[in-house]
């Protein structure tokens, strides 16, 4: 079909263009609200600043298409193929992107507020500065596989309140991202980079953060129970009042980490480096600190009842008021 | 005698009472330095207070160690007692040396409380305690309740501080300061203007209009309107519209959006007429420009000696190279004219050399000059910091006073060192190098440098590389020269630390600095370090004189972005910002690529950085919008963008351009600006939405005796939309019309 024909028919009121071949067509700036382009071939087509609100693009082929600034709010993109597509600054508010393939796509500064991204493929995609507030990327057993965000670039993205439970974010770049109160339960973040990220009140229970880099991250009030933090780098991170009960932190680097009032009961901190860490008033009941390095750490008023510290290095650690494993209180 | 119906066996009873809380300034610091002596002093002062209290039929309920808690049945007597105490202490202090004087703060509040023989309990007591913290050293702070009760019964000079948000107190408490030295604190043209406006029969409408023009929010609640500080609003208004024609157009635009434009036009006219004297005139006929002319007249006949004039000029030049020049000039202006001037334009109109000439003529003797300067500095709200400024000034002016015949040009060229050498009693040079080396051993060297740099240059530096380049020794030298007396350095450090966002940590840094520099001050005992420096978490996040918290500023940008995303097309927003900042976007491939290089966040930060005021941003964006192919659309985008960014101009916080990796968030001290009443639709709920994101409650700041635009202490307070968020829509009388583009 030719461009003119399409536009004429659309003006006339027709919206059903299912299965048409419109590859490479330039529809920039046009008004195509509500158009039905299911299963169409739109590869390489140009939709820059086009209005595609509530359009139906499910199963469409949009590989390498240019959708910069396109308005796809509440559009239907189920199973759409958007590999390598350019969605810079597009509006995908409330869009349905379930099962869509956006591998290596460019989603810089995209608006994905409240979008449905279950089982989406975003591996290697660029989501820098994107806003995913309230987006749904939830893993649902037998219904939706984990959303794939491996190696995605999420620097500076706004993920507040997003539901990423079970999502796969291994080796993703989340530097400076805002994950306040996001739901990352059982998510995989192994090898992810979270330097300076904002994770206040985040839900990371049962998550896998092995080898992740959380330097200077803000995890105050984080819920991190049973999470796997082995070999994680938490240098200078702030975990005040975080709940790390049963967490695995073997070989973790917690140099100068702030763990004031944190709960580390039954956590595994063997071989962890906790030099200069601030554990004032933290709860370390039955914590395993085998060969942990606690030199110069601040354990003032910490509770180490039943903790295993026999092989830990406490040289220079501050223990005034701390409850020792045998129940006695350490004199200052 | 006090009629205490309470018998000793009853546990306590509830009553309406006035509670007076006193507290000694810097008590712990003094105690750690000389416990015995300080105890003597505090005993002496508390005895005095007790005596005065009993004189006024009050009862001392308990001592807090460094202050007293007194209870009165009569609020008038309570306030009289407080005034008498401060007067008596001040009078006694005249004959005493500095180390024998303690300053106290007093807070007075009237409320229902639960009183026992030895104690008082209740929210009212907490309020009194917090009010006391708001008072100046040697001052008294009273609550609205007390003010209402005593205002007719007492002849006092009172200064309204505005509604204060006190720590751990839910409700906002309007507070007042009792002025004990009225002449020095009320020399402000604003005062008379405020009084005139207040006296006008349309004063309520005047308040409404000014508030609306500044904050873009309509307030109809009479009670809240009356709580507003008119002086502050006027100052904000003048900042928003720095010239008279701009004020006219600004108010005119605001009035146009109202439902009763004709009536408010008249009100606007009243405001403009009243505010006229505050504006420097271009034609040069208004009183503000007169001082400049007068200076010229005053200086010339007296400076008959061209050599003297040359020296004045030289000194002015050497002062011009200092970064603390603005403060030095303000101080000189204050001393000469007895009037505080913050407006940079005004200050520019007066040449520094002329001020120096005036000062020299007025105080021919160095000691006299020092005393005069001292007494002026004491009346300032930031006396500790201005002491340092005064010292620098004295150093530079010293050559004028020491035998003018013998002063040679070489000395003038390096006045700092020359002056210092003369000052130094010892022949040997002070151990700057050793002190510098000692400081470099400290763990928190970076923070130490930050604090020292800030004291010297009045600028916060977060860049690690820049800080590493600073020479510790020269910082030490500069600081020592600015504060030749240890007490001055201490006081200055204390004052500055208080205004930072991390006072606790910087307190320890200040102690470290004092400890290391103690060798420069013979006979000085540094205070004991309370915090163990290794316990401090050395985080790289913003610890400069930033506003309330690093959190808020990062959040604010996230919130602004969210707002922008919700209301505009992100790509359009980027195109607009790009055009505005780099002046060109022609939709070519290259342009698209360039656009992809920065994220929206980066563009927003750049825009906020480059526009000092709200009106600047408006101009910039609207101008850019009109150059783009579909101007209407982009004007609409511009409007939404500006609305979302308004938050930053209200709160005076401007995040600096950052590299994508957020390491150091710098918050430079931005100018404050309000909004313009142009074609925007006003929705109070929207504002409330944005302010709800803040952790702290937002309130109007108190206006200090002598306002300063560059003061970090002021910036830590936040501006606000004065009514608390859940507020009804504007009433029908004054419904602003919407912009219609939505």
């Amino acid at each position: 079909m030719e461009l003119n024909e399409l536009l004429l028919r659309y003006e006339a009121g027709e919206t059903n263009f299912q299965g048409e071949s419109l590859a490479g067509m330039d529809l920039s700036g046009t008004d195509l609200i509500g158009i039905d382009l299911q299963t169409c071939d739109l590869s390489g087509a140009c939709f820059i600043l086009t209005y595609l609100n509530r359009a139906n693009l499910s199963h469409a082929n949009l590989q390498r298409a240019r959708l910069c600034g396109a308005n796809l709010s509440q559009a239907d993109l189920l199973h759409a193929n958007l590999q390598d597509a350019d969605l810079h600054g597009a509006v995908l508010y409330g869009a349905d992107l379930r099962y869509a393939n956006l591998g290596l796509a460019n989603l810089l500064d995209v608006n994905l507020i409240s979008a449905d991204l279950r089982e989406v493929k975003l591996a290697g995609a660029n989501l820098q500065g994107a806003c995913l507030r309230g987006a749904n990327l939830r893993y649902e057993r037998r219904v939706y596989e984990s959303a794939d965000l491996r190696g995605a670039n999420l620097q500076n993205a706004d993920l507040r309140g997003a539901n990423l439970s079970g999502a796969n974010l291994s080796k993703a770049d989340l530097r400076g991202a805002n994950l306040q109160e996001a739901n990352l339960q059982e998510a995989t973040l192994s090898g992810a980079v979270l330097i300076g990220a904002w994770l206040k009140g985040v839900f990371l229970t049962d998550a896998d953060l092995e080898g992740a880099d959380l330097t200077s991250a803000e995890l105050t009030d984080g819920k991190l129970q049973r999470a796997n933090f082995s070999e994680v780098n938490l240098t200078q991170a702030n975990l005040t009042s975080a709940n790390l009960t049963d967490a695995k932190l073997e070989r973790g680097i917690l140099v100068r980490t702030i763990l004031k009032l944190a709960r580390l009961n039954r956590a595994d901190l063997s071989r962890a480096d906790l030099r200069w860490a601030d554990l004032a008033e933290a709860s370390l009941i039955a914590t395993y600190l085998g060969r942990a390095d606690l030199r110069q750490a601040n354990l003032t008023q910490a509770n180490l009842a039943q903790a295993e510290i026999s092989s830990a290095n406490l040289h220079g650690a501050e223990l005034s008021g701390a409850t020792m494993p045998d129940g006695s209180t350490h004199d200052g | 005698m006090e009629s205490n119906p309470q018998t000793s066996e009853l546990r306590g009873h509830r009553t309406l009472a006035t509670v007076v809380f006193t507290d000694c300034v810097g008590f712990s610091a003094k105690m750690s330095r000389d416990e015995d002596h300080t105890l003597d002093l505090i005993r002496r002062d508390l005895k005095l207070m007790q005596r005065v209290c009993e004189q006024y039929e009050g009862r001392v309920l308990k001592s807090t160690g460094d202050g007293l808690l007194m209870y009165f049945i009569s609020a008038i007597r309570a306030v009289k007692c407080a005034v008498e105490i401060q007067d008596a202490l001040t009078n006694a202090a005249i004959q005493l040396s500095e180390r024998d004087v303690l300053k106290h703060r007093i807070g007075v509040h009237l409320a229902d409380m639960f009183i026992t023989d030895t104690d008082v309990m209740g929210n009212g007591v907490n309020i009194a305690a917090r009010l006391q913290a708001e008072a100046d050293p040697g001052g008294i702070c009273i609550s609205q309740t007390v003010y209402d009760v005593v205002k007719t019964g007492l002849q006092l000079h009172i200064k309204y501080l505005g509604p204060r948000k006190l720590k751990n107190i839910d409700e906002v408490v309007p507070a007042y300061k009792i002025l004990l030295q009225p002449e020095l604190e009320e020399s402000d043209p604003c005062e008379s203007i405020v009084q005139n406006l207040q006296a006008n029969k349309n004063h309520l409408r005047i308040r409404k209009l000014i508030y609306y023009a500044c904050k873009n929010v309509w307030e109809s609640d009479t009670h809240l309107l009356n709580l507003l500080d008119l002086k502050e609003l006027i100052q904000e208004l003048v900042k928003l519209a720095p010239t008279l024609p701009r004020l006219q157009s600004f108010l005119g635009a605001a009035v146009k959006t109202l439902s009763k434009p004709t009536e408010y036009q008249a009100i606007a006219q009243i405001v403009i007429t009243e505010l006229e004297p505050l504006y420097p005139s271009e034609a040069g006929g208004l009183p503000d420009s007169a001082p400049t002319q007068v200076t010229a007249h005053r200086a010339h006949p007296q400076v008959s000696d061209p050599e003297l004039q040359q020296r004045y000029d030289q000194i002015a030049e050497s002062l011009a190279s200092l970064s603390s020049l603005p403060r030095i000039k303000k101080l000189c202006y204050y001393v000469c004219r007895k009037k505080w001037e913050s407006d940079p334009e005004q200050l520019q109109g007066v040449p520094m050399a002329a001020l120096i000439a005036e000062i020299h003529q007025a105080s021919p003797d160095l000691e006299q000059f020092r005393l005069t300067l001292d007494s002026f500095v004491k009346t300032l709200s930031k006396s500790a910091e201005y002491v340092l400024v005064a010292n620098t000034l004295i150093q530079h002016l010293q050559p004028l006073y020491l035998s003018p015949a013998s002063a040679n040009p070489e000395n003038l060229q390096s006045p700092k060192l020359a002056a210092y050498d003369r000052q130094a009693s010892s022949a040997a040079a002070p151990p700057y190098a050793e002190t510098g080396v000692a400081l470099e051993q400290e763990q928190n060297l970076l923070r130490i440098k930050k604090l020292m740099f800030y004291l010297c240059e009045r600028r916060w530096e977060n860049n690690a590389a820049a800080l590493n380049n600073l020479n510790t020794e020269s910082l030490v030298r500069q600081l020592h020269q600015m504060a030749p007396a240890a007490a001055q350095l201490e006081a200055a450090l204390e004052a500055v630390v208080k205004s930072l966002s991390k006072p606790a940590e910087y307190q320890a840094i200040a102690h470290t600095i004092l400890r290391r520099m103690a060798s420069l001050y013979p006979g000085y005992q540094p205070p004991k370090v309370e915090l163990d420096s290794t316990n401090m978490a050395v985080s790289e996040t913003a610890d400069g004189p930033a506003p309330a918290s690093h959190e808020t500023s990062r959040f604010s940008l996230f919130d602004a972005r969210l707002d922008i995303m919700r209301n505009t097309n992100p790509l359009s927003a980027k195109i607009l910002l790009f055009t505005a900042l780099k002046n060109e976007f022609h939709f070519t491939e290259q342009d698209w690529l360039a656009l992809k290089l920065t994220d929206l966040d980066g563009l927003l930060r750049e825009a906020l950085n480059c526009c000092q005021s709200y009106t600047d941003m408006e101009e910039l964006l609207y101008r850019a919008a009109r150059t783009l192919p579909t101007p209407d659309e982009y004007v609409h985008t511009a409007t939404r963008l500006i609305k979302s960014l308004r938050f930053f101009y209200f709160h005076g916080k401007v995040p600096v351009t950052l590299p994508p990796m957020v390491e150091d968030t710098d918050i430079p001290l931005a100018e404050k600006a309000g909004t313009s009443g142009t074609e925007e639709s006003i929705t109070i709920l929207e504002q409330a939405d944005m302010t709800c994101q803040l952790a702290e409650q937002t309130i109007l700041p108190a206006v200090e005796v002598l306002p300063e635009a560059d003061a970090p202490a002021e910036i830590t307070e936040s501006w606000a939309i004065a009514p608390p968020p859940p507020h009804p829509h504007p009433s029908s009388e004054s419904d602003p019309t919407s912009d219609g583009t939505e």
Side-chain angles (χ1 to χ4, degrees):
Chain A
M1 190 186 323
E2 291 299 314
L3 172 64
N4 290 327
E5 192 194 329
L6 174 72
L7 291 174
L8 277 167
R9 280 163 70 178
Y10 181 78
E11 295 279 317
E14 214 182 306
T15 53
N16 187 342
F17 296 92
Q18 287 187 33
E20 294 283 355
S21 173
L22 304 156
M25 199 174 273
D26 185 354
L27 289 146
S28 326
T30 52
D31 178 347
L32 295 164
I33 294 180
I35 197 171
D36 186 347
L37 292 161
Q38 277 184 67
T39 67
C40 285
D41 179 5
L42 296 153
S43 47
C46 196
F47 290 96
I48 299 183
L49 293 164
T50 312
Y51 290 88
L52 286 153
N53 320 39
R54 298 212 178 154
N56 188 341
L57 290 147
S58 49
H59 295 277
N61 178 1
L62 285 147
Q63 285 184 65
R64 295 178 310 280
R66 298 180 68 172
L67 292 135
C68 319
N71 191 332
L72 286 144
S73 46
Q74 297 175 316
D76 188 341
L77 287 139
L78 264 90
H79 291 285
N81 184 350
L82 286 140
Q83 281 181 347
D84 235 343
D86 187 351
L87 288 130
H88 174 203
V91 180
L92 284 141
Y93 166 75
D96 189 348
L97 286 141
R98 285 175 292 159
Y99 312 103
N101 186 347
L102 289 135
L104 299 171
N106 182 7
L107 286 115
L108 173 67
D109 288 319
V110 159
N111 175 351
L112 279 153
I113 299 173
S114 309
D116 191 343
L117 289 147
R118 286 175 285 184
E119 216 180 310
V120 74
K121 292 202 201 0
L122 279 154
N126 178 9
L127 285 135
Q128 186 165 343
C131 185
L132 285 116
R133 271 199 80 153
N136 184 358
L137 290 112
R138 202 168 75 225
Y139 161 74
E140 288 171 40
R141 207 152 58 101
R142 289 201 283 266
V143 188
Y144 295 104
E145 290 302 311
S146 326
D148 183 359
L149 285 115
R150 287 173 293 170
N153 177 358
L154 284 143
Q155 281 187 59
N156 222 358
D158 186 349
L159 290 140
R160 284 180 284 182
N163 187 343
L164 287 139
S165 52
N168 187 348
L169 287 135
S170 40
K171 299 219 172 40
D173 187 345
L174 287 141
R175 284 178 283 187
N178 188 341
L179 287 128
Q180 178 159 341
E181 281 160 34
N183 183 351
L184 284 142
Q185 289 182 45
E186 300 179 355
T188 308
L189 285 128
S190 44
V193 179
L194 286 127
I195 302 176
W198 190 266
L199 293 131
K200 202 157 176 249
V202 73
F203 288 85
L204 273 158
T205 49
D206 300 294
D208 178 3
L209 287 118
E210 194 172 330
D213 187 348
L214 285 130
T215 314
S216 303
E218 178 65 50
L219 284 132
T220 312
D221 289 317
K223 296 150 199 35
L224 307 155
Q225 298 95 298
R226 301 176 298 278
N228 179 1
F229 280 99
S230 44
E231 299 194 38
V232 81
N233 185 350
L234 279 156
T235 312
Q236 293 183 19
N238 185 354
L239 284 114
T240 309
S241 304
N243 187 345
L244 286 136
T245 311
D246 294 306
K248 294 193 242 319
L249 289 130
E250 320 101 72
R251 295 200 186 80
I253 303 172
L254 285 109
V255 174
R256 293 185 208 278
T257 312
I258 304 174
L259 284 142
K260 285 210 274 267
L261 298 155
R263 290 202 279 291
L264 288 139
N265 311 335
R266 299 185 300 280
D268 181 351
L269 281 145
S270 51
R271 289 188 245 260
D273 185 351
L274 286 140
R275 285 174 292 158
W276 295 292
D278 185 351
L279 288 136
E281 294 178 88
S283 177
L284 288 123
I285 302 173
T287 310
Y288 181 50
L289 286 146
R291 297 192 51 87
D293 189 347
L294 285 145
R295 284 178 283 176
Q296 312 288 338
N298 178 5
L299 286 141
T300 321
Q301 304 205 5
N303 185 352
L304 290 146
Q306 296 163 45
E308 166 53 41
I309 55 169
S310 57
S311 52
N313 185 348
L314 285 152
H315 185 75
E318 177 60 55
L319 287 147
S320 51
T323 307
M324 303 312 285
D326 59 2
S328 65
T329 311
H330 194 274
D331 307 311
Chain B
M1 267 319 280
E2 74 269 8
S3 48
N4 184 5
Q6 188 47 45
T7 52
S8 51
E9 63 258 318
L10 282 173
R11 247 172 271 124
H13 77 134
R14 200 165 253 297
T15 182
L16 186 67
T18 308
V19 131
V20 175
F21 232 110
T22 78
D23 178 71
C24 176
V25 179
F27 188 65
S28 346
K30 297 203 164 72
M31 282 289 271
S32 65
R33 250 174 301 152
D34 189 342
E35 207 172 275
D36 287 331
H37 182 61
T38 314
L39 281 174
D40 283 338
L41 297 180
I42 196 74
R43 257 183 243 128
R44 173 201 67 194
D45 283 356
L46 294 186
K47 258 205 214 126
L48 185 152
M49 290 187 203
Q50 177 143 21
R51 233 188 324 116
V52 180
C53 173
E54 280 162 13
Q55 245 180 290
Y56 283 90
E57 296 181 17
R59 197 164 76 141
V60 174
L61 283 176
K62 72 171 179 181
S63 158
T64 58
D66 64 346
L68 293 181
L69 172 56
M70 298 174 260
Y71 144 73
F72 294 77
I73 306 184
S74 159
I76 290 187
R77 273 187 243 126
V79 173
K80 272 196 185 152
C81 172
V83 172
E84 171 73 35
I85 287 178
Q86 293 290 31
D87 277 344
L89 287 170
T90 317
N91 287 334
I94 295 180
Q95 282 139 5
L96 295 172
S97 75
E98 221 181 288
R99 78 180 274 273
D100 289 337
V101 171
L102 291 177
K103 284 201 153 177
H104 302 263
R105 287 185 239 262
I106 303 189
V108 187
H109 183 53
L110 163 64
D112 224 275
M113 340 188 159
F114 191 81
I115 308 223
T116 65
D117 262 351
T118 50
D119 204 348
V120 179
M121 291 169 277
N123 197 36
V125 184
N126 298 336
I127 294 180
R130 299 281 175 223
L131 280 174
Q132 158 267 107
E134 300 273 332
D136 296 332
I140 305 168
C141 185
I142 64 177
S143 64
Q144 176 81 46
T145 331
V146 173
Y147 175 66
D148 285 334
V149 167
V150 307
K151 63 185 174 206
T152 41
L154 288 177
Q155 296 285 11
L156 289 173
H157 293 272
I158 303 270
K159 189 169 166 61
Y160 181 51
L161 295 175
R164 310 294 270 153
K165 176 73 184 78
L166 305 171
K167 186 173 164 207
N168 292 332
I169 308 281
D170 279 334
E171 78 259 27
V172 149
V173 179
Y176 295 78
K177 182 156 46 169
I178 298 186
L179 303 170
L180 300 161
Q181 294 151 291
E183 331 80 54
L184 288 162
E185 304 194 16
E186 302 232 46
S187 44
D188 203 334
C190 254
E191 281 299 326
S192 54
I193 293 180
V194 168
Q195 276 167 19
N196 288 346
L197 285 174
Q198 186 65 27
N200 192 303
K201 65 171 161 32
N202 287 310
H203 78 271
L204 220 56
R205 281 193 160 176
I206 292 177
R207 276 177 185 259
K208 281 184 190 171
L209 183 61
I210 299 186
Y211 184 71
Y212 176 59
C214 293
K215 312 278 186 192
N216 228 354
V217 164
W218 192 264
E219 177 57 69
S220 308
D221 187 327
T222 325
H223 175 63
L224 283 157
L225 279 171
N226 280 325
L227 279 181
L228 297 172
D229 188 340
L230 204 51
K231 181 166 168 186
E232 242 168 57
L233 283 174
I234 291 178
Q235 282 168 341
E236 207 187 326
L237 195 60
V238 172
K239 275 208 192 97
L240 273 173
T243 67
L244 208 55
R246 269 182 94 167
L247 176 67
Q248 279 167 327
S249 60
F250 186 65
L251 284 178
V255 163
K256 278 208 196 76
T257 66
L258 299 179
S259 62
K260 296 191 184 172
T262 33
E263 283 131 328
Y264 276 91
Q265 188 54 42
I267 305 276
Q269 200 48 52
I270 297 177
V271 171
I272 293 171
T273 328
E274 277 301 324
L275 262 64
E276 227 180 87
L278 288 178
Y279 286 93
S281 75
E282 294 86 52
L286 290 181
D288 274 20
S289 61
T292 344
Q293 294 163 347
V294 173
T295 322
H297 287 298
R298 265 202 260 165
H300 279 268
Q302 289 174 334
V303 184
S304 46
D305 184 358
E307 200 213 306
L308 205 54
Q309 180 60 40
Q310 201 189 21
R311 293 175 67 192
Y312 291 150
D313 287 329
Q314 275 174 324
I315 296 182
E317 251 177 67
S318 61
L319 281 173
S321 61
L322 295 175
S323 64
S324 46
L325 173 70
R327 277 193 155 188
I328 295 185
K329 200 162 189 197
K330 279 186 194 172
L331 190 59
C332 285
Y333 190 86
Y334 182 46
V335 169
C336 294
R337 303 294 156 78
K338 315 247 186 313
K339 185 173 88 101
W340 190 262
E341 183 57 67
S342 301
D343 185 354
E345 269 181 50
Q346 256 305 86
L347 286 173
Q348 254 178 336
V350 183
M352 190 74 214
L355 287 175
I356 297 176
E358 258 185 65
I359 293 179
H360 190 218
Q361 308 300 335
S363 336
D365 178 76
L366 182 62
E367 258 328 293
Q368 200 191 341
F369 174 53
R370 217 193 277 267
L371 282 171
T372 319
L373 204 54
D374 257 341
S375 66
F376 272 104
V377 167
K378 275 211 190 78
T379 66
L380 296 179
S381 59
K382 299 211 165 77
S383 45
E385 292 159 354
Y386 270 87
V387 163
L388 298 189
V389 177
N391 283 335
T392 319
L393 187 59
I394 292 176
Q395 267 167 24
H396 278 76
L397 267 76
Q398 213 167 29
L400 277 178
Y401 289 103
L402 300 160
S403 51
S406 66
N408 39 25
E410 289 96 64
N411 273 357
L412 285 176
Q413 272 152 26
S414 54
K416 266 209 259 205
L417 287 175
Y420 183 82
D421 285 339
R422 270 182 244 115
Q423 266 184 36
S425 48
S426 57
Y432 289 132
E434 287 117 41
T435 315
V437 167
L439 274 172
E440 274 163 13
Q441 314 280 7
E442 289 284 337
Q443 203 178 20
N444 293 307
L445 177 62
L446 228 58
R447 280 187 161 182
I448 291 176
K449 277 187 165 172
K450 279 183 193 177
L451 192 55
M452 290 176 78
F453 184 72
Y454 184 64
L455 269 171
C456 295
E457 303 288 321
R458 290 302 307 166
R459 203 165 45 83
W460 193 265
E461 181 62 66
N462 256 332
N463 185 318
L467 286 170
N468 281 327
N469 284 339
L470 290 174
N471 182 304
T472 322
E473 192 186 314
S474 60
L475 276 176
V476 170
R477 185 183 308 137
Q478 212 182 341
L479 208 53
H480 187 220
Q481 283 169 350
M482 284 174 73
Q488 289 171 344
L489 182 60
E490 237 185 78
L493 278 168
E494 199 182 309
V496 166
V497 162
K498 262 204 283 250
S499 68
L500 301 180
S501 64
K502 299 190 181 168
E505 288 138 334
Y506 274 89
Q507 183 72 324
I509 303 276
H511 283 161
T512 314
I513 295 177
L514 285 168
R515 246 185 319 124
R516 293 292 177 190
M517 287 183 68
S519 53
L520 297 169
Y521 300 102
Y524 170 62
Q525 278 281 68
K528 292 201 199 92
V529 174
E530 284 135 24
L531 293 171
D532 182 2
S533 49
T534 56
N535 279 348
M536 291 190 310
V538 180
S539 74
E540 288 310 316
T541 53
D543 46 20
S549 69
H550 169 65
E551 263 178 61
T552 342
S553 62
R554 279 181 78 180
F555 261 144
S556 317
L557 204 56
F558 269 110
D559 284 332
R561 269 169 51 196
L562 181 64
D563 210 47
I564 292 172
M565 285 238 178
R566 278 198 174 129
N567 293 311
T568 64
N569 181 313
L571 193 67
S572 302
K574 280 183 90 171
I575 293 174
L576 181 63
L577 283 163
F578 194 87
T579 316
L581 293 166
K582 326 254 194 219
N583 249 318
E584 56 198 45
F585 190 81
H586 304 297
F587 296 84
T588 62
E589 275 313 307
Q590 263 182 328
D591 288 333
W592 285 122
L593 282 171
L595 197 62
K596 287 202 187 114
L597 286 177
T598 16
D599 56 2
L600 180 57
D601 202 77
L603 287 170
L604 286 172
R605 280 177 208 273
E606 235 189 280
L608 283 167
N609 251 350
C610 111
C611 296
Q612 287 299 327
S613 79
Y614 186 78
T615 36
D616 280 347
M617 171 152 282
E618 265 188 346
E619 231 189 277
L620 185 71
L621 290 177
Y622 283 124
R623 206 171 347 122
R626 283 187 271 269
T627 66
L628 287 161
T630 49
D632 289 330
E633 238 180 74
Y634 283 100
V635 163
H636 176 52
T637 310
T639 316
R640 298 317 298 237
L641 253 178
I642 292 168
K643 232 204 268 207
S644 309
L645 294 170
R646 202 160 43 193
F647 178 79
F648 290 98
Y649 292 106
F650 272 161
H651 292 260
K653 296 185 271 247
V654 181
V656 142
T657 331
L658 286 182
M661 283 242 297
V662 181
E663 281 159 350
D664 268 34
T665 313
D666 273 282
I667 317 290
L669 307 174
E671 298 294 321
K672 279 178 268 193
T675 73
S676 80
T678 48
E679 347 90 26
E680 294 176 29
S681 59
I682 317 290
T683 30
I684 304 237
L685 287 177
E686 241 183 273
Q687 295 286 34
D689 231 12
M690 293 216 273
T691 55
C692 280
Q693 312 286 4
L694 282 184
E696 307 278 328
Q697 270 297 310
T698 46
I699 20 94
L700 286 172
V703 177
E704 292 284 5
V705 173
L706 299 152
E708 294 177 55
D710 60 348
E714 274 194 351
I715 308 247
T716 54
E717 314 260 6
S718 37
W719 288 90
I721 296 97
H727 199 73
H729 278 280
S731 71
S732 54
E733 191 217 329
S734 49
D735 237 359
T737 50
S738 69
D739 65 352
T741 51
E742 273 276 52

